[in-house]
Structure formats: structure tokens, C-alpha cells
Amino acid sequence: MQLHEEHRPKTWGEVIGQDKAIRRINQLRQRGLGSRAFWISGQSGTGKTTIARLIASELADEFGIEEIDASECTPARLRETVRTRRIRCIGTKSGRAYIVNEAHGLSKSAIRQLLVMLERLPSHVVWVFTTTCDGQESLFEDNIDAHPLLSRCAVLPLSRRGLAEPFAQRAKEIAEREGLDGQPIEKYIRLLRDNGNNLRAALQAIEAGGMLN
């Protein structure tokens, strides 16, 4: 397992650099995250997938979470989710969660169907869409009116600024734990900045020995 997966945050308290988004989620958690859709946008490696999976895990066990690439969101696939979501899962958490990655790749027909589906979500179901900032902009530039879709979601834009230092500290902690550390914190900060604050990319460089003496 790669470092970024092995050390992916498992709790909300482990998420770093995205305090504003976490505060918003905590506000919604007080009323329950079920029967909602979330739209998470941010730069690569800043926490989109982590936050999406944590939202999903609030309602569903692992086998109740389905990750779908936007290119696979055909009308037939979406109709199938409507059928399956009616049935609660058997387990500690009986909910169902659907995570749509690369949501900027949604087709017009998929968006039209989602508009109807998201209007009447069962209380045990949550949908989470993730996309990069550039991808979100392209979704609107491609003559697809995605505004109605976003209006049905809790929109969570992830922070772009102030990430180098906290991400560098996290990266160094992981490197130390894995025996891959040999550099001062300043080198980690530079690594993060060189990678556009992409923690996943920085961890891949560390895994390749980039921070060894």
C-alpha cells in the first residue's frame, strides 16, 4: 500500500489544513449527513477523497460505500443506484454512500437524472461529488449548466492557501515513522511548494527516497 493510502486520515481530527470545510461539515453533522449531497472541489492532493470517504463512513460501512468515476455515471447506472439505495445494508451502519470522483466529467444526461434523484434522497443515503478546481471550471465552460446540480449540494471548496507548512509537518511525521526521513522541515516545505501543496505527490516523492540523506 502506498504511503498516501496507508496514512490517509481515518477520523475528522486527523484531517489537516481544511478547517473551514470541517467546521461546515460539523455543523451539518448535528442535523445528520443523510439525505444530503456534497460537492467537494479543491486542488489535487489537498483532501477531497479523504473528506469524501469520511462523510461516507458516517452513514455506511465499507461495503455500503460505492465509488464511481463520473464517466461511469450513465443513466442506466444511476437508475440502478435508485433501486439499490432503497435497501438498507446489514451491518453496524445500515446506510449507503455514493462517491462520484472526477465529477467534472459528468454528462448532460447524467446531470439531468441526478437533479431528480437528489431531490428525494432517503435519510440513510448520501452522495458526494469530488472535482478539482480546474475541473469544476471546465464543467461550466463546456456548455453544461451544472448550477442546478450544485444548488442541490452542500458545496465545500477546499482551501488552497496556508497548506505548505501543515502538510510538510504531516509529511515529515510520516517519513520519520517509515524510516524515510533525513532532512529538516524546511526541505519538506520546499517539497510541498514545488508540488503545488499536493500532499499525495509529496508522499510519493518521500516514498521514492527523496528525503533520505
Side-chain angles (χ1 to χ4, degrees):
M1 184 182 294
Q2 293 182 312
L3 286 183
H4 70 275
E5 284 293 348
E6 184 178 351
H7 294 277
R8 187 184 295 279
K10 302 296 192 299
T11 67
W12 292 112
E14 295 175 356
V15 178
I16 58 174
Q18 300 299 343
D19 295 347
K20 185 175 181 180
I22 300 305
R23 282 197 300 271
R24 172 67 171 145
I25 293 168
N26 282 333
Q27 291 171 350
L28 295 173
R29 286 175 74 201
Q30 295 176 14
R31 300 192 298 274
L33 299 184
S35 193
R36 296 183 187 275
F38 294 82
W39 183 276
I40 305 173
S41 62
Q43 293 174 297
S44 296
T46 56
K48 297 187 301 297
T49 299
T50 292
I51 292 174
R53 291 179 181 175
L54 286 172
I55 290 173
S57 67
E58 289 277 325
L59 275 78
D61 289 324
E62 185 176 352
F63 55 82
I65 299 172
E66 185 175 353
E67 291 200 39
I68 313 168
D69 189 89
S71 62
E72 300 172 353
C73 280
T74 61
R77 180 71 177 275
L78 291 173
R79 284 194 295 272
E80 178 61 26
T81 67
V82 172
R83 287 191 289 270
T84 58
R85 76 184 189 186
R86 298 170 183 166
I87 305 170
R88 288 179 177 267
C89 291
I90 298 174
T92 305
K93 302 172 185 175
S94 62
R96 292 185 180 273
Y98 303 90
I99 300 173
V100 179
N101 297 311
E102 310 295 333
H104 52 273
L106 289 167
S107 66
K108 290 182 180 180
S109 59
I111 289 177
R112 284 196 297 270
Q113 191 155 346
L114 283 165
L115 294 181
V116 177
M117 291 171 54
L118 298 181
E119 282 286 355
R120 47 177 185 271
L121 288 178
S123 61
H124 65 281
V125 172
V126 65
W127 280 77
V128 188
F129 301 89
T130 71
T131 181
T132 61
C133 299
D134 291 341
Q136 179 171 300
E137 292 175 5
S138 70
L139 182 62
F140 293 98
E141 291 171 357
D142 290 341
N143 297 317
I144 297 178
D145 186 4
H147 289 91
L149 175 58
L150 266 66
S151 73
R152 287 163 170 75
C153 301
V155 178
L156 301 172
L158 299 191
S159 175
R160 304 186 185 194
R161 299 179 180 178
L163 299 177
E165 287 79 4
F167 278 11
Q169 186 61 49
R170 174 64 172 159
K172 183 171 174 60
E173 290 171 0
I174 292 172
E176 290 172 349
R177 196 177 308 170
E178 297 291 337
L180 295 169
D181 174 57
Q183 301 296 332
I185 188 64
E186 290 77 17
K187 290 287 185 69
Y188 287 88
I189 293 173
R190 188 180 310 157
L191 176 64
L192 264 300
R193 288 175 175 163
D194 288 346
N195 283 279
N197 292 334
N198 185 328
L199 182 54
R200 180 177 60 250
L203 290 175
Q204 288 171 339
I206 291 167
E207 193 167 16
M211 284 295 154
L212 293 173
N213 287 324

